[in-house]
Amino acid sequence: MIIASFDVGYGVDEEELDDMLYMKAYDELGLDPEKEYTINHQKADTDESSGVYNLFITEPDVIDEHTASLLEKTTYIDLLIPAPLLYKTLYTSGK
């Protein structure tokens, strides 16, 4: 998994956000255009004026490879969470 943060600036439409982050990820992180990636994002700050987003990038084949043995024992997985998100709750106040 690749985790990166990008500042997309101010005034980016929600409709354009996914495409912009996707292009920035390929351009700035040197992702292989021949491979398929799953790219998810989350706003890094609760401040509405902030344009910083955290990106979580995975290769579906790698996820399948790492979870194959687990799926033999477990028939259903509800959620996979990247480790940095697990720790976030320790540092976030209960606002």
Side-chain angles (χ1 to χ4, degrees), residues 5-63:
S5 294
F6 288 113
D7 187 351
V8 295
Y10 305 102
V12 176
D13 292 334
E14 283 294 318
E15 296 148 2
E16 298 174 0
L17 184 62
D18 287 338
D19 291 336
M20 177 179 280
L21 290 172
Y22 195 82
M23 288 187 297
K24 277 180 105 42
Y26 271 89
D27 291 344
E28 295 184 25
L29 298 175
L31 299 179
D32 185 354
E34 299 296 318
K35 290 185 179 179
E36 179 185 348
Y37 296 94
T38 300
I39 301 175
N40 292 300
H41 67 275
Q42 161 185 356
K43 196 163 180 71
D45 195 350
T46 56
D47 182 12
E48 286 297 319
S49 64
S50 173
V52 178
Y53 288 84
N54 293 324
L55 270 65
F56 306 95
I57 305 164
T58 59
E59 294 179 51
D61 294 338
V62 173
I63 296 295

Short mmCIF file of all heavy atoms in Angstrom, two decimals, residues 5-63:
data_model
loop_
_atom_site.label_atom_id
_atom_site.label_comp_id
_atom_site.label_asym_id
_atom_site.label_seq_id
_atom_site.Cartn_x
_atom_site.Cartn_y
_atom_site.Cartn_z
N SER A 5 0.01 12.17 0.66
CA SER A 5 -0.86 13.33 0.86
C SER A 5 -0.63 14.31 -0.27
O SER A 5 0.50 14.54 -0.69
CB SER A 5 -0.54 14.01 2.19
OG SER A 5 -0.86 13.18 3.26
N PHE A 6 -1.72 14.87 -0.75
CA PHE A 6 -1.66 15.87 -1.82
C PHE A 6 -2.49 17.07 -1.44
O PHE A 6 -3.59 16.95 -0.90
CB PHE A 6 -2.21 15.32 -3.14
CG PHE A 6 -1.32 14.30 -3.79
CD1 PHE A 6 -1.73 12.98 -3.90
CD2 PHE A 6 -0.09 14.65 -4.29
CE1 PHE A 6 -0.92 12.04 -4.49
CE2 PHE A 6 0.73 13.70 -4.89
CZ PHE A 6 0.30 12.40 -4.98
N ASP A 7 -1.95 18.24 -1.78
CA ASP A 7 -2.69 19.48 -1.61
C ASP A 7 -3.21 19.86 -2.98
O ASP A 7 -2.44 20.18 -3.89
CB ASP A 7 -1.78 20.57 -1.05
CG ASP A 7 -2.53 21.84 -0.69
OD1 ASP A 7 -3.73 21.95 -1.03
OD2 ASP A 7 -1.92 22.73 -0.08
N VAL A 8 -4.52 19.82 -3.14
CA VAL A 8 -5.12 20.14 -4.44
C VAL A 8 -5.49 21.61 -4.54
O VAL A 8 -6.01 22.04 -5.56
CB VAL A 8 -6.36 19.26 -4.72
CG1 VAL A 8 -5.96 17.82 -4.85
CG2 VAL A 8 -7.43 19.45 -3.68
N GLY A 9 -5.21 22.36 -3.50
CA GLY A 9 -5.51 23.78 -3.52
C GLY A 9 -6.96 24.05 -3.15
O GLY A 9 -7.66 23.20 -2.63
N TYR A 10 -7.39 25.25 -3.46
CA TYR A 10 -8.73 25.69 -3.10
C TYR A 10 -9.60 25.76 -4.34
O TYR A 10 -9.13 25.91 -5.45
CB TYR A 10 -8.68 27.07 -2.44
CG TYR A 10 -7.74 27.10 -1.26
CD1 TYR A 10 -6.47 27.64 -1.36
CD2 TYR A 10 -8.13 26.55 -0.05
CE1 TYR A 10 -5.61 27.67 -0.27
CE2 TYR A 10 -7.28 26.56 1.05
CZ TYR A 10 -6.03 27.12 0.93
OH TYR A 10 -5.19 27.12 2.00
N GLY A 11 -10.86 25.62 -4.15
CA GLY A 11 -11.80 25.81 -5.25
C GLY A 11 -11.91 24.64 -6.20
O GLY A 11 -12.30 24.83 -7.34
N VAL A 12 -11.57 23.43 -5.76
CA VAL A 12 -11.71 22.26 -6.62
C VAL A 12 -13.11 21.69 -6.43
O VAL A 12 -13.55 21.46 -5.30
CB VAL A 12 -10.65 21.19 -6.27
CG1 VAL A 12 -10.86 19.95 -7.09
CG2 VAL A 12 -9.26 21.74 -6.48
N ASP A 13 -13.82 21.51 -7.53
CA ASP A 13 -15.17 20.95 -7.47
C ASP A 13 -15.11 19.50 -7.02
O ASP A 13 -14.18 18.76 -7.39
CB ASP A 13 -15.85 21.01 -8.85
CG ASP A 13 -16.15 22.43 -9.28
OD1 ASP A 13 -16.32 23.28 -8.40
OD2 ASP A 13 -16.25 22.65 -10.50
N GLU A 14 -16.10 19.08 -6.26
CA GLU A 14 -16.18 17.70 -5.79
C GLU A 14 -16.22 16.73 -6.98
O GLU A 14 -15.69 15.63 -6.91
CB GLU A 14 -17.43 17.49 -4.92
CG GLU A 14 -17.28 18.03 -3.52
CD GLU A 14 -16.25 17.28 -2.70
OE1 GLU A 14 -16.20 16.04 -2.78
OE2 GLU A 14 -15.48 17.95 -1.99
N GLU A 15 -16.85 17.14 -8.07
CA GLU A 15 -16.96 16.30 -9.25
C GLU A 15 -15.60 16.05 -9.92
O GLU A 15 -15.38 15.02 -10.52
CB GLU A 15 -17.93 16.92 -10.26
CG GLU A 15 -19.35 17.02 -9.71
CD GLU A 15 -20.09 18.22 -10.26
OE1 GLU A 15 -19.54 18.97 -11.08
OE2 GLU A 15 -21.24 18.41 -9.84
N GLU A 16 -14.71 17.02 -9.80
CA GLU A 16 -13.39 16.92 -10.42
C GLU A 16 -12.34 16.33 -9.48
O GLU A 16 -11.25 15.98 -9.91
CB GLU A 16 -12.92 18.30 -10.87
CG GLU A 16 -13.79 18.94 -11.92
CD GLU A 16 -13.37 20.36 -12.22
OE1 GLU A 16 -12.40 20.86 -11.61
OE2 GLU A 16 -14.02 20.98 -13.09
N LEU A 17 -12.66 16.21 -8.21
CA LEU A 17 -11.69 15.81 -7.20
C LEU A 17 -11.10 14.43 -7.45
O LEU A 17 -9.89 14.24 -7.43
CB LEU A 17 -12.32 15.88 -5.81
CG LEU A 17 -11.39 15.57 -4.64
CD1 LEU A 17 -10.26 16.59 -4.58
CD2 LEU A 17 -12.17 15.56 -3.34
N ASP A 18 -11.95 13.45 -7.73
CA ASP A 18 -11.46 12.09 -7.96
C ASP A 18 -10.47 12.03 -9.13
O ASP A 18 -9.40 11.44 -9.01
CB ASP A 18 -12.62 11.13 -8.24
CG ASP A 18 -13.42 10.80 -7.00
OD1 ASP A 18 -12.89 10.96 -5.87
OD2 ASP A 18 -14.58 10.39 -7.14
N ASP A 19 -10.85 12.66 -10.23
CA ASP A 19 -9.96 12.65 -11.41
C ASP A 19 -8.65 13.37 -11.14
O ASP A 19 -7.59 12.91 -11.54
CB ASP A 19 -10.67 13.29 -12.61
CG ASP A 19 -11.81 12.45 -13.14
OD1 ASP A 19 -11.79 11.22 -12.91
OD2 ASP A 19 -12.72 13.01 -13.77
N MET A 20 -8.73 14.50 -10.44
CA MET A 20 -7.53 15.27 -10.15
C MET A 20 -6.57 14.46 -9.26
O MET A 20 -5.37 14.40 -9.53
CB MET A 20 -7.87 16.59 -9.46
CG MET A 20 -6.65 17.40 -9.07
SD MET A 20 -7.08 18.95 -8.30
CE MET A 20 -7.47 19.90 -9.75
N LEU A 21 -7.10 13.84 -8.20
CA LEU A 21 -6.26 13.05 -7.31
C LEU A 21 -5.68 11.83 -8.02
O LEU A 21 -4.53 11.46 -7.81
CB LEU A 21 -7.05 12.63 -6.07
CG LEU A 21 -7.39 13.76 -5.10
CD1 LEU A 21 -8.34 13.27 -4.03
CD2 LEU A 21 -6.13 14.34 -4.48
N TYR A 22 -6.47 11.22 -8.88
CA TYR A 22 -6.02 10.06 -9.65
C TYR A 22 -4.84 10.45 -10.55
O TYR A 22 -3.82 9.78 -10.59
CB TYR A 22 -7.20 9.54 -10.48
CG TYR A 22 -7.02 8.17 -11.03
CD1 TYR A 22 -7.26 7.04 -10.25
CD2 TYR A 22 -6.60 7.98 -12.35
CE1 TYR A 22 -7.11 5.78 -10.78
CE2 TYR A 22 -6.45 6.71 -12.88
CZ TYR A 22 -6.70 5.62 -12.09
OH TYR A 22 -6.53 4.36 -12.61
N MET A 23 -4.96 11.58 -11.26
CA MET A 23 -3.89 12.03 -12.15
C MET A 23 -2.65 12.42 -11.37
O MET A 23 -1.52 12.11 -11.77
CB MET A 23 -4.38 13.18 -13.03
CG MET A 23 -5.36 12.74 -14.10
SD MET A 23 -5.81 14.04 -15.27
CE MET A 23 -6.62 15.22 -14.23
N LYS A 24 -2.83 13.13 -10.24
CA LYS A 24 -1.68 13.52 -9.42
C LYS A 24 -0.95 12.29 -8.89
O LYS A 24 0.27 12.27 -8.83
CB LYS A 24 -2.14 14.39 -8.23
CG LYS A 24 -2.33 15.85 -8.56
CD LYS A 24 -2.79 16.62 -7.36
CE LYS A 24 -1.86 17.47 -6.66
NZ LYS A 24 -0.91 18.33 -7.16
N ALA A 25 -1.70 11.26 -8.50
CA ALA A 25 -1.08 10.04 -7.99
C ALA A 25 -0.20 9.41 -9.06
O ALA A 25 0.94 9.03 -8.79
CB ALA A 25 -2.15 9.06 -7.52
N TYR A 26 -0.70 9.28 -10.27
CA TYR A 26 0.09 8.69 -11.35
C TYR A 26 1.30 9.56 -11.70
O TYR A 26 2.40 9.06 -11.87
CB TYR A 26 -0.77 8.46 -12.60
CG TYR A 26 -1.44 7.11 -12.61
CD1 TYR A 26 -2.68 6.94 -12.04
CD2 TYR A 26 -0.80 6.00 -13.16
CE1 TYR A 26 -3.29 5.69 -12.03
CE2 TYR A 26 -1.39 4.76 -13.16
CZ TYR A 26 -2.64 4.61 -12.59
OH TYR A 26 -3.23 3.37 -12.58
N ASP A 27 1.10 10.87 -11.78
CA ASP A 27 2.18 11.77 -12.18
C ASP A 27 3.26 11.89 -11.11
O ASP A 27 4.45 11.77 -11.40
CB ASP A 27 1.63 13.17 -12.48
CG ASP A 27 0.79 13.19 -13.75
OD1 ASP A 27 0.88 12.23 -14.54
OD2 ASP A 27 0.04 14.17 -13.93
N GLU A 28 2.86 12.15 -9.88
CA GLU A 28 3.84 12.49 -8.84
C GLU A 28 4.40 11.28 -8.11
O GLU A 28 5.47 11.37 -7.52
CB GLU A 28 3.21 13.47 -7.86
CG GLU A 28 2.89 14.80 -8.52
CD GLU A 28 2.36 15.84 -7.56
OE1 GLU A 28 2.65 15.74 -6.35
OE2 GLU A 28 1.65 16.75 -8.03
N LEU A 29 3.69 10.16 -8.12
CA LEU A 29 4.19 8.98 -7.42
C LEU A 29 4.82 7.96 -8.36
O LEU A 29 5.33 6.94 -7.91
CB LEU A 29 3.06 8.31 -6.62
CG LEU A 29 2.44 9.19 -5.53
CD1 LEU A 29 1.26 8.47 -4.89
CD2 LEU A 29 3.49 9.53 -4.47
N GLY A 30 4.77 8.24 -9.64
CA GLY A 30 5.40 7.35 -10.60
C GLY A 30 4.73 5.99 -10.70
O GLY A 30 5.40 4.97 -10.86
N LEU A 31 3.40 5.97 -10.60
CA LEU A 31 2.68 4.70 -10.71
C LEU A 31 2.78 4.16 -12.13
O LEU A 31 2.78 4.93 -13.10
CB LEU A 31 1.21 4.89 -10.33
CG LEU A 31 0.93 5.37 -8.91
CD1 LEU A 31 -0.57 5.52 -8.70
CD2 LEU A 31 1.52 4.43 -7.88
N ASP A 32 2.88 2.87 -12.25
CA ASP A 32 3.00 2.20 -13.54
C ASP A 32 1.66 2.26 -14.28
O ASP A 32 0.67 1.71 -13.81
CB ASP A 32 3.41 0.75 -13.32
CG ASP A 32 3.67 0.00 -14.61
OD1 ASP A 32 3.43 0.55 -15.70
OD2 ASP A 32 4.13 -1.16 -14.52
N PRO A 33 1.62 2.91 -15.44
CA PRO A 33 0.35 3.02 -16.17
C PRO A 33 -0.17 1.68 -16.69
O PRO A 33 -1.34 1.57 -17.05
CB PRO A 33 0.65 3.98 -17.32
CG PRO A 33 2.12 4.12 -17.38
CD PRO A 33 2.69 3.65 -16.08
N GLU A 34 0.67 0.68 -16.71
CA GLU A 34 0.26 -0.64 -17.18
C GLU A 34 -0.44 -1.46 -16.10
O GLU A 34 -1.05 -2.47 -16.39
CB GLU A 34 1.49 -1.43 -17.68
CG GLU A 34 2.19 -0.78 -18.85
CD GLU A 34 1.32 -0.70 -20.09
OE1 GLU A 34 0.62 -1.70 -20.39
OE2 GLU A 34 1.33 0.35 -20.75
N LYS A 35 -0.35 -1.00 -14.83
CA LYS A 35 -0.96 -1.73 -13.73
C LYS A 35 -2.27 -1.07 -13.31
O LYS A 35 -2.47 0.12 -13.49
CB LYS A 35 -0.02 -1.77 -12.52
CG LYS A 35 1.19 -2.62 -12.72
CD LYS A 35 2.00 -2.70 -11.44
CE LYS A 35 3.20 -3.58 -11.61
NZ LYS A 35 4.00 -3.65 -10.39
N GLU A 36 -3.12 -1.89 -12.72
CA GLU A 36 -4.38 -1.38 -12.19
C GLU A 36 -4.19 -1.08 -10.70
O GLU A 36 -3.59 -1.85 -9.97
CB GLU A 36 -5.47 -2.43 -12.35
CG GLU A 36 -6.80 -2.01 -11.79
CD GLU A 36 -7.84 -3.11 -11.86
OE1 GLU A 36 -7.60 -4.12 -12.53
OE2 GLU A 36 -8.88 -2.96 -11.23
N TYR A 37 -4.70 0.05 -10.27
CA TYR A 37 -4.61 0.45 -8.86
C TYR A 37 -5.99 0.82 -8.35
O TYR A 37 -6.84 1.30 -9.09
CB TYR A 37 -3.71 1.68 -8.70
CG TYR A 37 -2.27 1.45 -9.08
CD1 TYR A 37 -1.82 1.75 -10.36
CD2 TYR A 37 -1.36 0.94 -8.17
CE1 TYR A 37 -0.49 1.54 -10.72
CE2 TYR A 37 -0.04 0.72 -8.53
CZ TYR A 37 0.39 1.03 -9.80
OH TYR A 37 1.69 0.82 -10.15
N THR A 38 -6.18 0.61 -7.07
CA THR A 38 -7.36 1.11 -6.39
C THR A 38 -6.89 2.32 -5.58
O THR A 38 -5.98 2.20 -4.77
CB THR A 38 -7.96 0.05 -5.45
OG1 THR A 38 -8.33 -1.09 -6.22
CG2 THR A 38 -9.18 0.60 -4.72
N ILE A 39 -7.48 3.47 -5.86
CA ILE A 39 -7.08 4.70 -5.20
C ILE A 39 -8.27 5.25 -4.43
O ILE A 39 -9.32 5.55 -5.02
CB ILE A 39 -6.57 5.74 -6.22
CG1 ILE A 39 -5.38 5.17 -6.99
CG2 ILE A 39 -6.20 7.04 -5.51
CD1 ILE A 39 -4.88 6.07 -8.11
N ASN A 40 -8.11 5.36 -3.13
CA ASN A 40 -9.14 5.96 -2.28
C ASN A 40 -8.54 7.18 -1.59
O ASN A 40 -7.34 7.24 -1.39
CB ASN A 40 -9.62 4.95 -1.23
CG ASN A 40 -10.38 3.82 -1.87
OD1 ASN A 40 -11.39 4.04 -2.51
ND2 ASN A 40 -9.88 2.61 -1.72
N HIS A 41 -9.40 8.11 -1.24
CA HIS A 41 -8.91 9.32 -0.58
C HIS A 41 -9.80 9.71 0.58
O HIS A 41 -10.94 9.27 0.69
CB HIS A 41 -8.79 10.47 -1.58
CG HIS A 41 -10.11 10.94 -2.10
ND1 HIS A 41 -10.72 10.34 -3.18
CD2 HIS A 41 -10.95 11.92 -1.70
CE1 HIS A 41 -11.86 10.94 -3.43
NE2 HIS A 41 -12.02 11.92 -2.54
N GLN A 42 -9.20 10.54 1.43
CA GLN A 42 -9.89 11.04 2.61
C GLN A 42 -9.33 12.43 2.89
O GLN A 42 -8.12 12.65 2.79
CB GLN A 42 -9.63 10.09 3.77
CG GLN A 42 -9.86 10.63 5.12
CD GLN A 42 -9.44 9.62 6.20
OE1 GLN A 42 -9.04 8.51 5.92
NE2 GLN A 42 -9.51 10.05 7.43
N LYS A 43 -10.19 13.35 3.25
CA LYS A 43 -9.73 14.70 3.58
C LYS A 43 -8.84 14.61 4.81
O LYS A 43 -9.19 13.98 5.81
CB LYS A 43 -10.92 15.61 3.83
CG LYS A 43 -10.57 17.07 3.80
CD LYS A 43 -11.84 17.89 3.63
CE LYS A 43 -11.57 19.36 3.59
NZ LYS A 43 -10.92 19.84 2.41
N ALA A 44 -7.68 15.22 4.74
CA ALA A 44 -6.68 15.11 5.81
C ALA A 44 -7.03 15.95 7.02
O ALA A 44 -6.60 15.66 8.12
CB ALA A 44 -5.30 15.48 5.29
N ASP A 45 -7.80 16.99 6.82
CA ASP A 45 -8.09 17.93 7.91
C ASP A 45 -9.59 18.21 7.93
O ASP A 45 -10.25 18.20 6.89
CB ASP A 45 -7.31 19.23 7.66
CG ASP A 45 -7.25 20.12 8.88
OD1 ASP A 45 -7.95 19.85 9.87
OD2 ASP A 45 -6.48 21.10 8.83
N THR A 46 -10.11 18.49 9.09
CA THR A 46 -11.53 18.82 9.19
C THR A 46 -11.82 20.26 8.79
O THR A 46 -12.97 20.64 8.64
CB THR A 46 -12.04 18.60 10.64
OG1 THR A 46 -11.24 19.36 11.54
CG2 THR A 46 -11.99 17.12 11.00
N ASP A 47 -10.77 21.04 8.60
CA ASP A 47 -10.92 22.43 8.17
C ASP A 47 -11.44 22.46 6.73
O ASP A 47 -10.83 21.91 5.82
CB ASP A 47 -9.57 23.14 8.27
CG ASP A 47 -9.63 24.60 7.89
OD1 ASP A 47 -10.75 25.14 7.75
OD2 ASP A 47 -8.56 25.21 7.74
N GLU A 48 -12.58 23.09 6.54
CA GLU A 48 -13.20 23.15 5.22
C GLU A 48 -12.32 23.84 4.18
O GLU A 48 -12.41 23.55 2.99
CB GLU A 48 -14.56 23.85 5.29
CG GLU A 48 -15.63 23.02 5.93
CD GLU A 48 -15.95 21.75 5.16
OE1 GLU A 48 -16.00 21.80 3.91
OE2 GLU A 48 -16.10 20.71 5.80
N SER A 49 -11.49 24.79 4.60
CA SER A 49 -10.67 25.52 3.65
C SER A 49 -9.41 24.75 3.24
O SER A 49 -8.71 25.14 2.32
CB SER A 49 -10.27 26.88 4.23
OG SER A 49 -9.45 26.70 5.37
N SER A 50 -9.13 23.64 3.91
CA SER A 50 -7.96 22.84 3.59
C SER A 50 -8.21 22.02 2.32
O SER A 50 -9.29 21.48 2.12
CB SER A 50 -7.63 21.89 4.74
OG SER A 50 -6.59 21.02 4.38
N GLY A 51 -7.20 21.95 1.48
CA GLY A 51 -7.30 21.16 0.26
C GLY A 51 -6.38 19.96 0.29
O GLY A 51 -6.00 19.43 -0.75
N VAL A 52 -6.00 19.51 1.48
CA VAL A 52 -5.08 18.38 1.62
C VAL A 52 -5.87 17.08 1.78
O VAL A 52 -6.77 16.98 2.61
CB VAL A 52 -4.13 18.58 2.83
CG1 VAL A 52 -3.20 17.38 2.99
CG2 VAL A 52 -3.33 19.86 2.66
N TYR A 53 -5.51 16.10 0.97
CA TYR A 53 -6.16 14.79 1.00
C TYR A 53 -5.12 13.70 1.17
O TYR A 53 -4.03 13.78 0.60
CB TYR A 53 -6.94 14.55 -0.30
CG TYR A 53 -8.18 15.40 -0.40
CD1 TYR A 53 -8.12 16.70 -0.87
CD2 TYR A 53 -9.41 14.89 0.00
CE1 TYR A 53 -9.25 17.48 -0.94
CE2 TYR A 53 -10.55 15.66 -0.07
CZ TYR A 53 -10.47 16.95 -0.55
OH TYR A 53 -11.59 17.73 -0.62
N ASN A 54 -5.46 12.69 1.94
CA ASN A 54 -4.63 11.50 2.06
C ASN A 54 -5.12 10.49 1.03
O ASN A 54 -6.32 10.24 0.92
CB ASN A 54 -4.76 10.89 3.47
CG ASN A 54 -4.18 11.79 4.52
OD1 ASN A 54 -3.18 12.46 4.31
ND2 ASN A 54 -4.80 11.82 5.67
N LEU A 55 -4.17 9.93 0.30
CA LEU A 55 -4.49 8.90 -0.69
C LEU A 55 -3.98 7.55 -0.21
O LEU A 55 -2.88 7.46 0.35
CB LEU A 55 -3.82 9.22 -2.03
CG LEU A 55 -4.63 10.07 -3.01
CD1 LEU A 55 -4.87 11.44 -2.46
CD2 LEU A 55 -3.93 10.13 -4.33
N PHE A 56 -4.79 6.52 -0.45
CA PHE A 56 -4.44 5.15 -0.11
C PHE A 56 -4.51 4.37 -1.42
O PHE A 56 -5.57 4.24 -2.02
CB PHE A 56 -5.40 4.59 0.93
CG PHE A 56 -5.48 5.46 2.16
CD1 PHE A 56 -6.48 6.41 2.29
CD2 PHE A 56 -4.53 5.34 3.15
CE1 PHE A 56 -6.54 7.23 3.41
CE2 PHE A 56 -4.58 6.15 4.27
CZ PHE A 56 -5.58 7.09 4.40
N ILE A 57 -3.36 3.88 -1.85
CA ILE A 57 -3.25 3.27 -3.17
C ILE A 57 -2.82 1.82 -3.01
O ILE A 57 -1.81 1.53 -2.35
CB ILE A 57 -2.23 4.03 -4.03
CG1 ILE A 57 -2.62 5.52 -4.09
CG2 ILE A 57 -2.13 3.43 -5.42
CD1 ILE A 57 -1.53 6.44 -4.58
N THR A 58 -3.58 0.92 -3.61
CA THR A 58 -3.25 -0.50 -3.55
C THR A 58 -3.39 -1.11 -4.94
O THR A 58 -4.10 -0.60 -5.80
CB THR A 58 -4.18 -1.27 -2.59
OG1 THR A 58 -5.54 -1.10 -3.02
CG2 THR A 58 -4.04 -0.78 -1.18
N GLU A 59 -2.71 -2.23 -5.11
CA GLU A 59 -2.87 -3.04 -6.30
C GLU A 59 -3.82 -4.18 -5.94
O GLU A 59 -3.52 -4.94 -5.02
CB GLU A 59 -1.55 -3.61 -6.77
CG GLU A 59 -0.56 -2.58 -7.25
CD GLU A 59 0.75 -3.22 -7.67
OE1 GLU A 59 0.72 -4.17 -8.46
OE2 GLU A 59 1.79 -2.77 -7.17
N PRO A 60 -4.95 -4.29 -6.61
CA PRO A 60 -5.90 -5.35 -6.27
C PRO A 60 -5.28 -6.75 -6.28
O PRO A 60 -5.62 -7.58 -5.44
CB PRO A 60 -6.98 -5.22 -7.35
CG PRO A 60 -6.90 -3.80 -7.79
CD PRO A 60 -5.45 -3.43 -7.67
N ASP A 61 -4.34 -7.00 -7.18
CA ASP A 61 -3.69 -8.32 -7.24
C ASP A 61 -2.89 -8.60 -5.97
O ASP A 61 -2.88 -9.72 -5.48
CB ASP A 61 -2.76 -8.41 -8.46
CG ASP A 61 -3.52 -8.35 -9.76
OD1 ASP A 61 -4.74 -8.65 -9.76
OD2 ASP A 61 -2.92 -8.00 -10.79
N VAL A 62 -2.23 -7.58 -5.43
CA VAL A 62 -1.45 -7.75 -4.21
C VAL A 62 -2.37 -8.03 -3.02
O VAL A 62 -2.09 -8.89 -2.19
CB VAL A 62 -0.57 -6.50 -3.95
CG1 VAL A 62 0.12 -6.59 -2.60
CG2 VAL A 62 0.45 -6.34 -5.06
N ILE A 63 -3.48 -7.30 -2.95
CA ILE A 63 -4.45 -7.52 -1.87
C ILE A 63 -5.00 -8.94 -1.97
O ILE A 63 -5.09 -9.65 -0.97
CB ILE A 63 -5.59 -6.49 -1.93
CG1 ILE A 63 -5.06 -5.08 -1.69
CG2 ILE A 63 -6.69 -6.84 -0.94
CD1 ILE A 63 -4.50 -4.84 -0.31
#
